Amino acid sequence: MPKKHLVACAVLSVLASAGPDLAAGAEAIGPLRGTPQEYKVCLDLQDDLMLRRLALGEHVSENNNTVALLQAEAKELVEAQKRLVLSDELQVDDFNSLTEEHNRKIVAAEKQTERVKGEREAFSKDTLEYNRRCASLVVDLNVRDSVISERSGEAGGLSATASAAPPAEQ
């Protein structure tokens, strides 16, 4: 008989000889139950992440709109440059002023993009922490019901039937 089958047989024979006492001990260990406080913390984190996800979505959309506007403005400047009469000093000064303003907008947009990128990275990090802390949290039904009931009476809860499922990442 191969070695791995011998080990399996040995384990099975130990389990069989231990009988119901070993099985009872395994059931007693079971999954660890979360406390009402842990469940409340997870629900609060979930609410916070949902609000942050909505805000992040708005910020990403605003940033994308800004970039699109700057791209359109850049095309307009290129077309204006083609029509520029270099001997007309007033026209050249106006074009240079428009170009400088456009460049200031680009610098501001780059800063905005970096802020949104940082916000997205922080959201991702916090979502991972939420998942680590809360995704496998097991609570008894009575704990879940009492916490949800308590939260439904509070002004801060987003939903009386909030689940412990993690929010989708952007």
Side-chain angles (χ1 to χ4, degrees), residues 9-78:
C9 287
V11 170
L12 288 175
S13 66
V14 169
L15 288 175
S17 67
D21 294 335
L22 186 60
E27 287 176 10
I29 294 174
L32 295 175
R33 301 283 190 220
T35 66
Q37 299 324 102
E38 290 170 322
Y39 188 55
K40 285 179 191 176
V41 166
C42 286
L43 291 176
D44 290 344
L45 288 171
Q46 181 182 18
D47 289 350
D48 179 61
L49 286 171
M50 282 196 285
L51 292 173
R52 287 175 57 197
R53 184 185 67 211
L54 293 173
L56 179 60
E58 289 176 15
H59 298 159
V60 167
S61 179
E62 290 169 6
N63 192 60
N64 291 342
N65 291 338
T66 299
V67 169
L69 289 172
L70 287 173
Q71 289 172 339
E73 191 175 278
K75 287 179 183 179
E76 290 174 14
L77 284 172
V78 168

